[in-house]
Amino acid sequence: MLSHHISKLLRRSYSRAISNCRDFTSTNVETDPTKRDPAPFFFNKEIQQCLETLTTLDYNKVFRTRKDGYKQKPPEFKFLTDEELEEARKAAQYRAKKYLQMPPVVKERLEPSEPLCEDPALQDHDTVKYVFTDITYGLKDRQRSIVVREPGGTLRHAFWKERDRMIQTFLPKPERKLQKPKMFEDEYMKDLLNRNEYEFILDRACVQFEPDDPDYKAITREVYEHINAERHFDVLRSTRHFGPMVFHLVWTSNIDNLLYEMIETNRIEDAALLIRLYHMIHPTTKSAVEQCEHTDDVDFIMHYVRLESLKKDKIQKLLQSYKELQREREIVAEGIKQAHGISSENVNINK
Amino acid sequence: MPRLPLHCSSGTGVISPFSKAIRLARYGCTNRPFYHIVVIDVKKGERKPPIEQVGVYDPIPNMHNEKLVSFNFERIQHWIAKGAQVSTPVADLLGLAGFLPVHPRTYMRAWRNRRTVEKCS
């Protein structure tokens, strides 16, 4: 009976510690705009939709040969009816969507601060810490209570580092290492970044860390910044990390390079969507407050570039050249149509 | 010494009508103790198959200077409710974990340690 009550108390106090942390974060949001929580924005349905569209599903890239240790199946050739083909396509679409599931972007976790109880009579009961892990079946990792008894007699919740270590010790996850792999250290990271192994780094980080781990945040930030500086967006496009990268760039208001690249590769619709995403996340910026009268994508981008972009001249020039190119293309297309004698309008005019 | 038979970590599940105890069973090898916390009949020997294993205890500190203990609190609660006895070392650990009240022996050990430290200094 007693034990039952105490364990209940333990669990409740643990949940209270977590809720305290939450309270702390919520007060932080109001006072400090730079440290606001990205999770409600990231999980917003519209924003998710935007990020998915920006990722651009490319089947060749999604179903490329992956060096992930699984045995590859040889390709099969089949005769299919139309319905079967439709079904197979749908199955492939489903699988592709699974491959492109984005890792979440959430706020950094906070250490539990308050000790559970302090007992000065237990001073020097041992020279080392005791770490107690609850291995009850069927609990989620976040619900597991892990407590530490210090040599000084204090009982406290384990720090996140200790928690991760204990959970990996007693309930190991495949491919996750107990210690941080060497490749995430600075010198090796630099080498990997210079070799453009972005996806490898990000995949490994996803496996190794929880999404709210400060280490994960630092590593992903470094990779995204490097990609942004080198403009290697195409490496990540159509992988699961493109969405979070776009979100990070928008979150830090640093989308000029991405915008430039999108216009350069004739993705005007994507570029407009990117700016709409920017307005959704930063609704108080100049270009979001001053509504654009034009409905055309190019004008919409122009409107943003004029008001906010740091690289105005470059992007404006690029947009101008894009417009001219588009006009020329139209002329050529019309010419071809005329040559084929397809165009109905021209025929009418000629008459 | 012959190699100890390692029983199924969930235990044999064979429950006798006799009274039970939650206690430590020494596994590991020479000079390297390692304990399983098991539920077993009071009168059975240490090496006999347990009814259930409810945790482990590693008495040698690891590289981070920690002794690792794990408990399946749900099952321990169940067995204590059924009237299983708890041996002193296990009660000691459960007391340190905050599951049971701190065992008097822990207080005694702390007090003795403090006394020796004072004497030495």
Side-chain angles (χ1 to χ4, degrees), chain A residues 4 6 119 124 129 133 135, chain B residues 67 69 71 77 98 107 113:
Chain A
H4 183 78
I6 287 178
D119 198 345
D124 286 340
K129 289 187 281 188
T133 313
I135 51 163
Chain B
K67 289 185 182 179
V69 190
F71 285 119
Q77 218 165 294
Y107 284 124
N113 285 347

Side-chain angles (χ1 to χ4, degrees), chain A residues 122-130 148-154:
Chain A
L122 278 179
Q123 176 95 38
D124 286 340
H125 69 96
D126 206 333
T127 50
V128 295
K129 289 187 281 188
Y130 279 77
V148 178
R149 180 72 78 168
E150 298 274 4
T154 336

Side-chain angles (χ1 to χ4, degrees), chain A residues 1-8 10-11 116 119-138 145 147-149 155 162 165-166 169-170 179, chain B residues 54-57 61-75 77 80-81 92-103 106-107 109-111 113-114 117:
Chain A
M1 202 59 214
L2 186 70
S3 69
H4 183 78
H5 278 301
I6 287 178
S7 75
K8 253 193 176 172
L10 242 178
R11 274 179 202 161
L116 284 167
D119 198 345
L122 278 179
Q123 176 95 38
D124 286 340
H125 69 96
D126 206 333
T127 50
V128 295
K129 289 187 281 188
Y130 279 77
V131 185
F132 299 96
T133 313
D134 185 4
I135 51 163
T136 302
Y137 178 75
S145 78
V147 291
V148 178
R149 180 72 78 168
L155 187 68
E162 291 169 332
R165 197 141 43 74
M166 286 309 115
T169 307
F170 288 108
Q179 278 153 354
Chain B
V54 289
V56 298
Y57 168 47
N62 63 8
M63 59 189 288
H64 303 281
N65 235 10
E66 301 163 334
K67 289 185 182 179
L68 304 190
V69 190
S70 73
F71 285 119
N72 190 340
F73 283 124
E74 193 193 357
R75 296 306 292 167
Q77 218 165 294
I80 289 178
D92 205 345
L93 290 174
L94 285 173
L96 285 176
F99 187 74
L100 295 181
V102 178
H103 198 269
T106 321
Y107 284 124
R109 198 172 62 229
W111 169 67
N113 285 347
R114 280 193 302 254
V117 167

Side-chain angles (χ1 to χ4, degrees), chain A residues 60-221:
Chain A
N60 283 334
K61 194 160 181 190
V62 173
F63 295 120
R64 71 192 178 281
T65 41
R66 286 167 193 264
K67 296 168 194 162
D68 54 3
Y70 286 104
K71 213 176 176 186
Q72 288 177 18
K73 281 181 199 164
E76 280 178 56
F77 293 90
K78 282 183 192 168
F79 285 111
L80 297 178
T81 61
D82 282 353
E83 291 104 54
E84 280 171 340
L85 185 67
E86 197 59 34
E87 252 175 47
R89 274 211 182 113
K90 262 186 190 167
Q93 221 171 7
Y94 181 73
R95 270 179 54 215
K97 253 196 169 178
K98 262 193 163 178
Y99 273 125
L100 291 184
Q101 194 190 22
M102 288 179 262
V105 179
V106 288
K107 211 175 139 54
E108 268 180 34
R109 59 202 185 182
L110 294 167
E111 296 290 348
S113 48
E114 278 176 50
L116 284 167
C117 90
E118 286 175 36
D119 198 345
L122 278 179
Q123 176 95 38
D124 286 340
H125 69 96
D126 206 333
T127 50
V128 295
K129 289 187 281 188
Y130 279 77
V131 185
F132 299 96
T133 313
D134 185 4
I135 51 163
T136 302
Y137 178 75
L139 280 186
K140 288 194 175 136
D141 283 352
R142 292 287 167 129
Q143 299 168 330
R144 240 163 247 294
S145 78
I146 297 178
V147 291
V148 178
R149 180 72 78 168
E150 298 274 4
T154 336
L155 187 68
R156 60 168 173 83
H157 288 298
F159 298 134
W160 283 108
K161 284 258 149 117
E162 291 169 332
R163 268 190 85 85
D164 287 345
R165 197 141 43 74
M166 286 309 115
I167 286 172
Q168 186 55 22
T169 307
F170 288 108
L171 308 138
K173 287 210 173 80
E175 301 298 317
R176 188 176 282 196
K177 295 280 179 287
L178 206 54
Q179 278 153 354
K180 190 172 154 184
K182 278 261 166 75
M183 64 173 268
F184 294 125
E185 280 166 23
D186 220 21
E187 39 179 332
Y188 304 109
M189 263 291 266
K190 260 181 200 160
D191 185 37
L192 278 174
L193 287 174
N194 291 335
R195 283 190 282 144
N196 299 350
E197 301 270 10
Y198 308 122
E199 227 201 321
F200 173 52
I201 301 174
L202 290 171
D203 279 339
R204 187 96 196 260
C206 272
V207 172
Q208 181 64 28
F209 303 110
E210 294 292 318
D212 54 357
D213 193 323
D215 280 342
Y216 177 77
K217 289 260 157 190
I219 287 161
T220 49
R221 195 183 311 126

Side-chain angles (χ1 to χ4, degrees), chain B:
Chain B
M1 200 173 77
R3 210 180 155 78
L4 292 174
L6 269 178
H7 307 292
C8 182
S9 74
S10 57
T12 54
V14 180
I15 302 173
S16 57
F18 310 117
S19 61
K20 319 279 188 305
I22 302 176
R23 64 188 197 198
L24 299 177
R26 190 187 190 278
Y27 283 78
C29 56
T30 320
N31 296 328
R32 208 304 176 199
F34 184 85
Y35 298 99
H36 285 191
I37 298 164
V38 293
V39 179
I40 195 168
D41 284 354
V42 173
K43 290 188 179 178
K44 270 204 179 153
E46 193 189 8
R47 309 276 162 83
K48 291 288 181 285
I51 295 168
E52 189 175 338
Q53 187 203 349
V54 289
V56 298
Y57 168 47
D58 183 1
I60 294 192
N62 63 8
M63 59 189 288
H64 303 281
N65 235 10
E66 301 163 334
K67 289 185 182 179
L68 304 190
V69 190
S70 73
F71 285 119
N72 190 340
F73 283 124
E74 193 193 357
R75 296 306 292 167
I76 289 176
Q77 218 165 294
H78 168 258
W79 283 111
I80 289 178
K82 283 248 177 140
Q85 301 166 23
V86 182
S87 76
T88 323
V90 174
D92 205 345
L93 290 174
L94 285 173
L96 285 176
F99 187 74
L100 295 181
V102 178
H103 198 269
R105 211 180 72 158
T106 321
Y107 284 124
M108 275 164 64
R109 198 172 62 229
W111 169 67
R112 280 181 187 145
N113 285 347
R114 280 193 302 254
R115 196 181 55 185
T116 46
V117 167
E118 262 174 39
K119 262 188 193 173
C120 290
S121 63

